[in-house]
Amino acid sequence: EVQLMESGGGLVQPGGSLRLSCAASGFTFSSYWMSWVRQAPGKGLEWVANIKKDGSEKYYVDSVKGRFTISRDNAKNSLYLQMNSLRVEDTAVYYCARDPFERPEHFDYWGQGTLVTVSS
Amino acid sequence: SYVLTQPPSVSVAPGKTASITCGGNKIGSKNVHWYQQKPGQAPVLVIYNDSDRPSGIPERFSGSNSGNTATLTISRVEAGDEADYYCQVWDRSSDHYVFGSGTKVTV
């Protein structure tokens, strides 16, 4: 059974940092593109970043470029999101999600999400 | 950047058919995917590649895509179908996943 489990969320002050983790199981993690998708309270879904199977390609939404870094450790079946210079508008539930195709297309499995709150 | 436009809400009576549109420039040339999200839960893929259903998704869910509009159709709507629905594409020009703003389906 495919499982994705996020952790690392919490309350942080504006300008602070946080590192999210996503533990994957039930599939060959190194064979899939992975993404982070977020959802602000009461709002819609917003893709944040993705990373290629071997980590050689990474893409980001413009609003987080230069502040967030996506990475993965295929030996540990884990996906990460390092978030620096956090802003109030980064407050959201952050989901990790798997893309089943050889190139980015869509998400077939999602984690349950971890809440990040940026507030003073 | 590529923009997907969805109606904020759709209301449908039980047993009837709900149609949710997703508008985008030449969206018919892209693969469109649809997600269902119930309150407090993660999104669930219900349609991929315009009209394919993942295993476990009822046949009542179908999709189409042509021109500037993609459509998710839910036939014989049930109370359990009440949720937010999002369309999504991969925009190759920007290397970004793009989501629509979401449609709340009320039964």
Side-chain angles (χ1 to χ4, degrees), chain A residues 39 60 99 103 105 107 111, chain B residues 33 35 37 42 88 96-97:
Chain A
Q39 186 170 35
Y60 300 89
D99 192 315
R103 52 177 173 76
E105 265 298 341
F107 307 111
Chain B
H33 320 286
Y35 304 87
Q37 187 181 33
Q88 175 258 312
H96 283 21
Y97 295 89

Side-chain angles (χ1 to χ4, degrees), chain B residues 22-42:
Chain B
C22 176
N25 185 38
K26 298 179 182 178
I27 196 174
S29 65
K30 300 181 182 296
N31 294 322
V32 179
H33 320 286
W34 292 90
Y35 304 87
Q36 175 194 69
Q37 187 181 33
K38 296 181 179 180
Q41 298 184 18

Side-chain angles (χ1 to χ4, degrees), chain A residues 33 35 37 39 43-47 50 59-62 65 95 99 101 103-108 110-112, chain B residues 31-33 35 37 40-45 48-49 84 86 88-90 92 94-101:
Chain A
W33 284 79
S35 278
V37 178
Q39 186 170 35
K43 301 298 183 182
L45 301 170
E46 180 185 38
W47 168 77
N50 71 333
Y59 300 96
Y60 300 89
V61 70
D62 288 349
K65 278 181 185 175
Y95 297 99
D99 192 315
F101 281 9
R103 52 177 173 76
E105 265 298 341
H106 68 275
F107 307 111
D108 62 346
W110 299 64
Q112 283 305 302
Chain B
N31 294 322
V32 179
H33 320 286
Y35 304 87
Q37 187 181 33
Q41 298 184 18
V44 172
L45 181 68
Y48 67 99
N49 291 352
D84 293 325
Y86 295 90
Q88 175 258 312
V89 301
W90 168 255
R92 296 185 188 185
S94 61
D95 287 323
H96 283 21
Y97 295 89
V98 178
F99 286 97
S101 52

Side-chain angles (χ1 to χ4, degrees), chain A residues 10-12 38-41 43 46 68 86-94 114-119:
Chain A
L11 175 64
V12 61
R38 68 184 179 182
Q39 186 170 35
K43 301 298 183 182
E46 180 185 38
F68 290 12
L86 281 161
R87 304 167 180 168
V88 171
E89 55 265 35
D90 294 320
T91 294
V93 173
Y94 284 74
T114 187
L115 176 62
V116 172
T117 303
V118 185
S119 174

